[in-house]
Amino acid sequence: MKEERAIDLVIIGAGAAGLTASIYAVRAKLDTIVLENEIVGGQIKNSYSVENFPGFDVISGDELASKMENHALKLGVDINEFGYIKSVKLTDEEKIIETDDVIYKAKAVIIATGAKPRELPVPEEKDLHGKVIHYCELCDGALYDGKDIVVVGGGNSAIEAATYLTRYAKSITIVHQFDTLQAEKSDQDELFKHKNVNVIWNSEIRNVVGDNKIEKIIIENVKTGEKSDIHSDGIFVYIGYVPKADIVKDYVTLNKWGYIEADENMGTNVKGVFVAGDVRDKKIRQLTTAVSDGTIAALNAEKYISGGR
Ligand SMILES: Cc1cc2nc3c(=O)[nH]c(=O)nc-3n(C[C@H](O)[C@H](O)[C@H](O)COP(=O)(O)OP(=O)(O)OC[C@H]3O[C@@H](n4cnc5c(N)ncnc54)[C@H](O)[C@@H]3O)c2cc1C
């Protein structure tokens, strides 16, 4: 039979928001577990350089995430990495979270499940995902040493990724749906120091033809409707994010894009269920806002558990 464990707080997700929440929760003496179904650290592990987190003028995302994890572990936070949540039930006072081997009966829950990259909307995505269509330059960039790369998107992530990929690529072609880049000017300046970068404006990829290798990429100019072919060895996609709220979507209120709504205390529509980080309905999704959310959620969870909310 499965182990049942009564606990004060379950935190779902060990990114910046969840880890921060765990630090505050453990310091408030809450019996806490953090459940993480992938790698501890979350999205920031994929950033090769973070330059806006106070206290570190420049640090790799991987190192910053490790520092957060070690900080939590040092305080005695219990983190279950690669733990798969089979089901949740959040309707009653006692919240049930069932993993492969334990049924947690929690007084409060913090959802800190973050977001994942939006997939390239082409019919071939599923077949080519991981073969020639990629979402993580740190993970897959080295496969394209001396090759031609297309980067899709014009925001900070796309431009930061393109800059990183210049170390490998023979050429970088950015395909962007608008006629200006949205990325910070300083990041754009950094990218265009490299001579082998060009941009195709007002365009979207419609098809990627090929099997294990790209034969051609069909793009459409969204202003003129004109289609043309371009050639490349690989495609790296940065066209936004989608929230990871699936496991709780039957319980908490989501906005029309699927982000979880919350009040200023990070409380959701369900008493005892809080949300923190990128999965929350908010305008600015950064590390500093994730750690802020994590702080507020944990302190309010503690208040709720001790009868204050
Ligand atoms: C390439 C890149 C560069 C960035 N650069 C910067 C930067 O320089 N500065 C900055 O401030 N921000 C940056 N950001 C944004 C920043 O990383 C995010 O705002 C921040 O990581 C959000 O933290 P989070 O904890 O809310 O979510 P995440 O980091 O997404 O963490 C959520 C965690 O929850 C886990 N999870 C999801 N679903 C489940 C489930 N069902 N069960 C268990 N666990 C689950 C995920 O695996 C993940 O580990 C960058 C993001 C990217 C992708």
Side-chain angles (χ1 to χ4, degrees), residues 30-263:
L30 295 182
D31 181 14
T32 303
I33 179 123
V34 183
L35 302 176
E36 168 57 57
N37 65 358
E38 292 181 26
I39 299 171
V40 172
Q43 290 169 61
I44 200 61
K45 282 192 93 79
N46 295 328
S47 174
Y48 70 98
S49 174
V50 176
E51 299 178 17
N52 53 12
F53 194 77
F56 300 95
D57 52 354
V58 53
I59 185 168
S60 79
D62 190 42
E63 192 185 349
L64 184 57
S66 296
K67 282 185 183 292
M68 290 184 190
E69 177 183 4
N70 288 335
H71 186 169
L73 291 174
K74 205 167 158 194
L75 290 170
V77 173
D78 189 1
I79 305 177
N80 180 349
E81 195 172 34
F82 300 114
Y84 175 68
I85 297 177
K86 293 182 89 156
S87 68
V88 301
K89 186 163 175 265
L90 302 177
T91 38
D92 303 325
E93 198 171 329
E94 193 174 64
K95 322 291 178 207
I96 310 291
I97 291 97
E98 183 179 355
T99 66
D100 279 335
D101 38 20
V102 182
I103 299 173
Y104 292 97
K105 298 184 163 186
K107 293 178 183 159
V109 172
I110 296 175
I111 305 157
T113 44
K116 63 179 176 196
R118 188 177 297 283
E119 290 179 349
L120 185 69
V122 295
E124 301 83 9
E125 203 282 337
K126 290 247 164 335
D127 290 340
L128 299 180
H129 189 125
K131 291 181 185 166
V132 291
I133 300 179
H134 306 272
Y135 297 85
C136 173
E137 70 285 359
L138 287 186
C139 322
D140 302 325
L143 301 171
Y144 293 92
D145 207 5
K147 299 197 168 161
D148 300 311
I149 296 177
V150 161
V151 171
V152 185
N156 286 329
S157 296
I159 298 313
E160 196 185 306
T163 306
Y164 179 82
L165 289 167
T166 55
R167 74 192 60 197
Y168 301 115
K170 186 165 80 193
S171 76
I172 303 256
T173 303
I174 294 173
V175 175
H176 188 40
Q177 63 181 163
F178 302 122
D179 55 11
T180 50
L181 299 173
Q182 279 68 51
E184 277 173 35
K185 185 74 175 60
S186 56
D187 288 344
Q188 295 186 34
D189 291 347
E190 188 58 37
L191 175 63
F192 291 112
K193 278 181 194 162
H194 300 271
K195 298 281 171 261
N196 54 348
V197 179
N198 73 300
V199 186
I200 301 178
W201 302 106
N202 301 315
S203 296
E204 293 178 356
I205 294 180
R206 293 287 174 246
N207 291 94
V208 182
V209 182
D211 192 357
N212 285 323
K213 203 167 166 281
I214 299 175
E215 283 168 29
K216 62 179 174 182
I217 300 167
I218 302 172
I219 59 169
E220 181 175 336
N221 184 308
V222 292
K223 289 213 160 144
T224 62
E226 191 187 330
K227 286 192 176 171
S228 55
D229 298 347
I230 57 172
H231 295 271
S232 170
D233 296 298
I235 303 172
F236 284 76
V237 183
Y238 306 90
I239 53 173
Y241 288 84
V242 284
K244 290 187 178 175
D246 272 6
I247 51 161
V248 293
K249 70 177 184 331
D250 295 337
Y251 300 98
V252 296
T253 306
L254 308 178
N255 72 9
K256 64 178 171 178
W257 294 282
Y259 289 93
I260 300 171
E261 292 184 355
D263 60 25

Side-chain angles (χ1 to χ4, degrees), residues 284-306:
I284 313 280
R285 293 191 174 82
Q286 286 284 282
L287 285 167
T288 46
T289 62
V291 302
S292 166
D293 286 2
T295 308
I296 296 167
L299 294 177
N300 283 302
E302 194 274 330
K303 216 184 233 180
Y304 169 81
I305 290 169
S306 60

